[in-house]
Amino acid sequence: MIASTPAATRVNDFAIKLANVNGTGSASANGLLMQAIFRMGIPVSGKNLFPSNIQGLPTWYEIRVNKDGYTARALDYDLMVAMNSQTYDRDINEVREGGFVLYDSTWPLDPHLHRADVTFLGVPLAKMCNENFRESRERILMKNIAYAGALIAALDVDMEVVEQLLEEKFAAKKALRASNQKALRLGYEYAKENFDPLPFRLEKMDENGDKILIDGNTATALGCVYAGATVAAWYPITPSTSVMDAFTDFCKQYRKDPQTGRMNALILQAEDELAAIGMVIGASWNGARAFTSTSGPGISLMNELLGLAYYAEIPAVIMDIQRVGPSTGMPTRTQQGDFFECAYASHGDTKHICLYPANPAECFEFAAKSFDLAERFQTPVFMLSDLDIGMNDWVVPKLTWDDSYRPDRGRVLDAADLDRISKFLRYTDEDENFIAARTLPGVSEKGSFFTRGSGHNKFGGYTETPAEYQEVVDRLLKKHKAAAKFVPAPILERRKRAQFGVVTSGGCDGAVREALDVLESRGVQADFMRIRGFPFDPAVEEFLNAHEFSFIVEQNRDAQLRSLITLETGVAKEKLRSVLVYGGFPLSAQRVIDSITHQLETSEAPAAVHG
C-alpha cells in the first residue's frame, strides 16, 4: 500500500515499461492501453522492443505519456510491469527512485530483488486467471489483460473508452470479448480495492482531435496506394514485411475493378530480393508505378540491378525500413545504417535520390513523392524509414488525401508526340534538369528502343568510346544534382542566441528537438536542422557554414550522415561533430543531451553513446 500524495501528483507526464515474454500475447494488452490513452486525447508514444525469435525471449513495451507532446523514448520509468521472472533484476533496476513495480504476486518475490526506494504492487494474476479460466492458453493470454485492468485502475484510464475499444475489436467475436472484459475486471477491481492512488495519473485532454495513431509501414503502404502504385514485388524481411501486408490489404479494398471485382494490382512475392527489384524495374519500364519494400540486407542483393536502373534511366521505388547490421545483425532493432548503401548503391559511379521521413505522416507523404521523383528523373529513388518509425504506433496529424493530386509521370512521349518528330533518340534532347524523354513500350513503333545497361552514347547506341561514355555519365551526375531542388527541403529552426548548430534526419527528430529544449532551459541554445532528402538542398550547406561548428546526430557507428555531408558539400570536416547512438533502441533525448554536454565541456573527440 502507498500513501496518497495529491500535492505531488503528476498529471499526464510519466513513463511505464511492460516487461514480458515474447509469444504470450502481451501485445494485445499493451496496444489496448496505448489506444485508450490516445482516445483520452493525451499525447502518447509507444515503443515495442521485441526479440527476433518467435517465442520465449524477453520483450518490452514502453509507453510514454507527455502532455507537452514529447515522443522520444524515455530512460527513466515511473512504473515497471514485471511479468518476466528471467528479467526481474534488470527491469526492477530501471525503475526511477520513488517509482513502482507491478508484479504477479502469485509467487513471492525473491528478497534480493527488493529496493527500499521503490514500491512494489503485487497482483495475484496467475492465481486469479487459474480460478476464472479453464484453458491453459487462455489463462496465459488473460493474465496480460488482467494486468492491463490493474493499470487502468491505477492510472485512471477511462473505462468507458476501454469498453468501446473492446467492443470494436471483438464485434464479431462475443466469446472473446466476454473473456477479455472478465479479465480486465479482475485486475481492475483488485487494484481499486488494494492500491492507493499513484503520484501520477491520466486526465482527459483534447490534443488528439485532428490526429491518428498509425505505424510508419502502414502509412507507407497507404502512400503507395495514393501515388497510384499498381505493381509490388518483394521478399519477406524484418522489419519491412508489414509494408507489403498493408499494401495488399489496401489493394483488396481500394484497387478493385467495379465491374469484375478483380483486384487491379499485381503483388508478387519473389524468390529473393534480386528477383524482386528486377520485377520492379521491368514493370516500371513498361509504365506501371512499381515498388519494393526491403531492409539493408535486401538492398545489398539488389545492387547490380539498381545500377542497371540508374544507367539505363528506369524509374524504381525502394522502401528501405532500416534495421541493425552488419550481416544479419539484430533484425528487430532500429538503426540508421543505410545512408551510404542507398546513396551510392551498385558498382561504378552511381548516386541515388534518397528521402528521409521522420514519422508515419512523412512516410505517407514521401512515399507518394518517391514515385513522382522516380518518374520525373527516371531513376531509382529510396525512401529510408527505420524499424522504430515503421513498426511502432505514432500519434501524427491526419493524413491528407487530395483528390486533385495527379502523378508526375515526367517526360513521357505518347504516340502524338512521336508523330511530330522524325526520330526518337533515347538519351538526348535533355531538358533544363538534364532529363531526356522516354517512351512506353507498345505506344508507337517510332518509340521502340533497346534499354542499354552496357556502355551507350546519348543516342542509345552501344559504345566503348571514352568521350561518348563520359558524356552520358556526366549528364547523369548533372541530373542527380538537379534533383536537389525537388527533394523535400530541410526543416530549419533558429534560436536568437544560438551557439552552434544541431543536425539530424529521420526518426532522431523527436529526441533531438526535446534535447534542444532541455539544453535551452539550461542556458545552452542551438539552431536545428533536419535533413529530409539527398542530394542535399543548398540550404544544408548554408546552415552548416553559418555556424562555427555543428553536431550531427545519427544512429550508426560510422557517422554516415556526417560523412555524406563531407563528401557532397564544401563544408569543412572540422566544423562537424558527431553524436552517435547505435545500440539498436530508439533514440532518447537524454543520450543527445549527455553527448553534446560532454563534448562542450571537454572539447574532446566525440565518443559513441551506447543505448
Side-chain angles (χ1 to χ4, degrees), residues 1-5 79-81 100-106 119-125 128 146-156 184-200:
M1 300 286 286
I2 60 172
S4 179
T5 54
L79 172 63
M80 178 70 67
V81 179
F100 299 80
V101 175
L102 190 153
Y103 70 103
D104 186 351
S105 61
T106 303
T119 301
F120 289 81
L121 306 174
V123 183
L125 295 164
M128 291 192 301
Y147 78 58
L151 290 173
I152 287 165
L155 299 173
D156 285 344
L184 270 176
R185 283 291 170 186
L186 288 172
Y188 182 88
E189 289 170 5
Y190 187 92
K192 280 293 186 185
E193 292 171 7
N194 292 276
F195 302 152
D196 287 333
L198 299 178
F200 47 89

Side-chain angles (χ1 to χ4, degrees), residues 378-414:
Q378 302 172 22
T379 195
V381 171
F382 294 83
M383 189 183 86
L384 284 74
S385 177
D386 60 43
L387 184 145
D388 180 29
I389 298 171
M391 296 191 71
N392 286 321
D393 286 330
W394 294 58
V395 177
V396 297
K398 289 180 180 177
L399 308 181
T400 302
W401 191 284
D402 183 0
D403 286 332
S404 66
Y405 165 74
R406 294 294 179 270
D408 181 354
R409 304 307 304 268
R411 294 189 67 195
V412 182
L413 302 183
D414 59 20

Side-chain angles (χ1 to χ4, degrees), residues 537-551:
D537 185 287
V540 171
E541 190 163 350
E542 292 168 9
F543 178 94
L544 293 167
N545 281 327
H547 296 84
E548 182 181 350
F549 62 91
S550 294
F551 291 97

